[in-house]
Amino acid sequence: MLNIAITAGGTSEQIDGVRRLTNVSTGLLGWHCLEAVMEQLQAAGRHDFRVTYILTDTAYRGVLSDRQHPFVDFLPVSDAESVYHAVDELTSRVPVDFFIHSMAISDFTIAYAAATDELAREICRLPFSEEEGVTAVREVLEHPSGRYTLSEKIPSGHNLVLGLKRTKKVIPLIKRNNPATFLVGFKLLRDVTEEELIRIANRLAEENGCDMVFANQLGELGEENHSGMLIRSGEVIARPTGKRAIAAAIVEEMMKQGGIQ
Amino acid sequence: MLNIAITAGGTSEQIDGVRRLTNVSTGLLGWHCLEAVMEQLQAAGRHDFRVTYILTDTAYRGVLSDRQHPFVDFLPVSDAESVYHAVDELTSRVPVDFFIHSMAISDFTIAYAAATDELAREICRLPFSEEEGVTAVREVLEHPSGRYTLSEKIPSGHNLVLGLKRTKKVIPLIKRNNPATFLVGFKLLRDVTEEELIRIANRLAEENGCDMVFANQLGELGEENHSGMLIRSGEVIARPTGKRAIAAAIVEEMMKQGGIQ
């Protein structure tokens, strides 16, 4: 039995009842990876597999054929916290053989929203001393007492400060829970040289145990012109163009490395 | 010639290359209003009209029949600023007879993103005095010198402060540019009494010259169970339930008041 997991789409952090902090991602590349997995495994005559497809609200969701549908479980998620729990639960319960982690997960979630004036007044009430100043101000900037209740709709009458705090990283969970998983990571950067992109992709791979990384740049993300590098052990092993071709290359290489094809 | 404008969907403010501040709105109610306008005008045998449908990226966009399509111009927008310009341009150029303003426009856009530590240090470098303190700190909280370039991808290594500033209100433009326009506004609140909701809807109407307001509450927004009050001159004139019924009631009442039916 082969267990495959794919994550796709961009997460959405709740600011209040009507506002969200979102990450831009169509989820199309993840969907094409799902299609490529189905096509390549069914072409190889395999029926002993299951795909868990973890997707956000805004992720593209295409239509599977009747032949493909029974092999896929859809697992909807919303914010970074919900992805963390879904991936932790899945990888603790199921021995995932292949994990394609294409989701754009927010690095930040909302710590608070406060009126700028209120925050300034709170800072000015601090008992300042040269040494303690920075620590005291940082403490207020991270946890002000004057803040809006985030379950309500924040009033729009005043300028606003949003405090953001880092979310827990999801990708290290995957190998921690299951060292045998073949893990495909993704790195998106902007305006860097190819050398820099490869260097940063390698660091992602080393820190999180990625067996392969697809590295690409903002501005090269269209359906047809999406391009990037598939990197394994520090080497570029493919330079596919177009989302379908990228997905096919990722899945083919992954299956080959994993001894499936 | 009858000119109708409808706005629909939620706007999206760019934080950086991959992050957005969004307003939750499906755009479904706006779409049903478009359908109701087409059905009611075509049922009345009218062919001398045009609808400008201003919609955001995330707004629902259904399919129009071949009979309906030639009467509608789609005008895509993204952030609050782009809506402001689109509505200003349209209402300056075209004598809009009916304007249904159902879009959820962000009250805030991004002024800056700064690392919390960096911001705390900047505040501590201020020459404090009791009187000038609040003004000086507010100034830094609104325009810090240490900030990220928003066209890049903000680094994820540090906690973050997002400074938000208010956007220009779009709704006052409509009557200012065209006092004869029949304007339908929308008010969404949460957990208020019916009296409070009516009071606030009336204030919206008075301040912006709305001829009718549809007032509703968060938590009553489903396709079938969406409910609310249609208010004119301070009185509740209808309590429709379900998005289609709400749209039909809005358009019917609007046409009647405007002397069309």
Side-chain angles (χ1 to χ4, degrees):
Chain A
M1 185 69 177
L2 215 53
N3 289 297
I4 297 150
I6 302 173
T7 63
T11 57
S12 173
E13 305 296 314
Q14 179 160 341
I15 298 171
D16 69 3
V18 297
R19 300 176 177 100
R20 302 285 182 271
L21 174 71
T22 59
N23 266 54
V24 174
S25 171
T26 58
L28 271 167
L29 188 53
W31 187 263
H32 287 316
C33 285
L34 174 62
E35 290 178 328
V37 162
M38 302 304 300
E39 283 160 19
Q40 294 186 27
L41 284 177
Q42 294 192 327
R46 298 207 49 155
H47 295 92
D48 56 339
F49 70 94
R50 283 215 73 73
V51 183
T52 304
Y53 195 77
I54 304 175
L55 79 172
T56 61
D57 300 336
T58 56
Y60 173 81
R61 185 169 173 167
V63 180
L64 293 176
S65 69
D66 289 346
R67 224 181 118 224
Q68 295 173 329
H69 211 272
F71 294 92
V72 185
D73 296 314
F74 289 94
L75 189 53
V77 291
S78 54
D79 59 5
E81 178 84 8
S82 72
V83 183
Y84 187 92
H85 288 299
V87 169
D88 196 19
E89 194 280 327
L90 176 73
T91 55
S92 301
R93 181 171 49 84
V94 176
V96 176
D97 298 285
F98 296 101
F99 200 118
I100 300 177
H101 188 42
S102 77
M103 186 180 281
I105 301 174
S106 183
D107 296 309
F108 300 103
T109 190
I110 312 302
Y112 67 88
T116 310
D117 278 2
E118 192 58 45
L119 193 58
R121 275 196 288 273
E122 189 170 335
I123 288 170
C124 285
R125 284 196 300 269
L126 292 171
F128 271 102
S129 78
E130 280 289 340
E131 309 83 57
E132 295 167 11
V134 174
T135 311
V137 174
R138 187 202 299 123
E139 180 59 26
V140 171
L141 287 177
E142 291 184 344
H143 312 279
S145 355
R147 50 165 81 187
Y148 294 115
T149 311
L150 296 180
S151 58
E152 310 279 314
K153 190 175 165 188
I154 296 167
S156 59
H158 306 277
N159 282 346
L160 205 68
V161 170
L162 278 188
L164 305 188
K165 62 184 177 193
R166 281 177 289 168
T167 54
K168 282 187 286 185
K169 291 274 178 205
V170 172
I171 193 167
L173 279 176
I174 300 167
K175 284 291 234 239
R176 197 188 306 151
N177 285 342
N178 235 318
T181 300
F182 188 98
L183 173 59
V184 184
F186 290 76
K187 193 75 207 178
L188 176 65
L189 291 170
R190 183 192 157 112
D191 288 342
V192 293
T193 61
E194 188 169 304
E195 291 68 38
E196 181 70 358
L197 185 54
I198 295 174
R199 198 183 61 74
I200 293 173
N202 284 337
R203 204 175 61 200
L204 175 78
E206 281 163 23
E207 288 175 0
N208 303 292
C210 298
D211 299 280
M212 244 166 32
V213 173
F214 183 71
N216 51 169
Q217 303 221 29
L218 269 169
E220 300 176 344
L221 297 181
E223 175 69 25
E224 300 303 328
N225 67 3
H226 190 156
S227 66
M229 300 175 286
L230 194 55
I231 299 171
R232 183 165 50 79
S233 314
E235 275 179 49
V236 179
I237 54 172
R239 293 175 180 274
T241 297
K243 288 191 198 291
R244 261 178 207 284
I246 292 169
I250 289 170
V251 172
E252 194 180 324
E253 204 52 53
M254 176 181 94
M255 298 285 184
K256 204 164 75 184
Q257 297 301 320
I260 301 301
Q261 285 172 348
Chain B
M1 184 70 176
L2 215 53
N3 289 296
I4 297 150
I6 301 173
T7 63
T11 57
S12 172
E13 305 296 313
Q14 179 160 340
I15 299 171
D16 70 3
V18 297
R19 300 177 178 99
R20 301 286 182 271
L21 174 71
T22 59
N23 266 53
V24 173
S25 171
T26 58
L28 271 168
L29 187 54
W31 187 262
H32 287 316
C33 285
L34 174 62
E35 289 178 330
V37 162
M38 302 305 297
E39 283 160 18
Q40 295 186 26
L41 284 178
Q42 294 193 326
R46 297 206 52 152
H47 295 92
D48 56 339
F49 69 94
R50 285 214 73 74
V51 183
T52 304
Y53 196 76
I54 304 174
L55 78 174
T56 62
D57 300 337
T58 55
Y60 173 81
R61 186 170 172 164
V63 180
L64 293 176
S65 69
D66 289 347
R67 226 181 118 223
Q68 297 175 327
H69 210 273
F71 294 92
V72 185
D73 295 315
F74 289 94
L75 189 53
V77 291
S78 53
D79 59 6
E81 179 85 8
S82 72
V83 183
Y84 187 92
H85 289 299
V87 169
D88 197 18
E89 195 281 326
L90 176 73
T91 54
S92 302
R93 180 172 49 83
V94 176
V96 177
D97 299 284
F98 297 100
F99 200 118
I100 300 177
H101 188 43
S102 77
M103 186 181 280
I105 301 173
S106 184
D107 297 309
F108 300 103
T109 190
I110 312 302
Y112 68 89
T116 310
D117 278 3
E118 192 58 46
L119 193 57
R121 276 196 289 272
E122 189 170 335
I123 289 170
C124 285
R125 285 196 300 268
L126 293 171
F128 271 101
S129 77
E130 281 289 338
E131 308 84 59
E132 295 167 10
V134 174
T135 310
V137 174
R138 187 201 301 123
E139 180 59 27
V140 172
L141 287 178
E142 290 184 345
H143 312 278
S145 353
R147 50 165 80 189
Y148 294 115
T149 311
L150 296 181
S151 58
E152 311 278 313
K153 191 177 164 187
I154 297 167
S156 58
H158 305 277
N159 283 346
L160 205 68
V161 169
L162 278 187
L164 303 188
K165 63 183 176 195
R166 280 176 290 168
T167 54
K168 282 186 287 187
K169 292 274 178 205
V170 172
I171 193 166
L173 279 176
I174 299 167
K175 284 291 234 237
R176 196 187 306 152
N177 284 343
N178 234 317
T181 300
F182 188 98
L183 173 59
V184 184
F186 289 76
K187 194 75 207 177
L188 177 64
L189 291 170
R190 183 193 157 112
D191 288 342
V192 293
T193 61
E194 188 169 303
E195 291 67 38
E196 180 70 359
L197 185 55
I198 294 174
R199 198 183 61 74
I200 294 172
N202 283 337
R203 205 175 60 201
L204 175 79
E206 281 164 23
E207 287 175 0
N208 303 291
C210 297
D211 299 280
M212 246 168 27
V213 174
F214 183 72
N216 51 169
Q217 304 222 30
L218 270 167
E220 300 177 343
L221 297 181
E223 175 69 24
E224 300 304 328
N225 67 3
H226 191 155
S227 65
M229 298 175 286
L230 195 56
I231 299 171
R232 183 166 50 79
S233 314
E235 274 179 52
V236 179
I237 55 173
R239 295 176 180 272
T241 298
K243 288 191 198 294
R244 261 179 206 285
I246 292 170
I250 289 170
V251 172
E252 195 179 323
E253 204 53 51
M254 176 181 93
M255 297 287 183
K256 204 164 72 186
Q257 297 301 320
I260 301 301
Q261 284 173 349

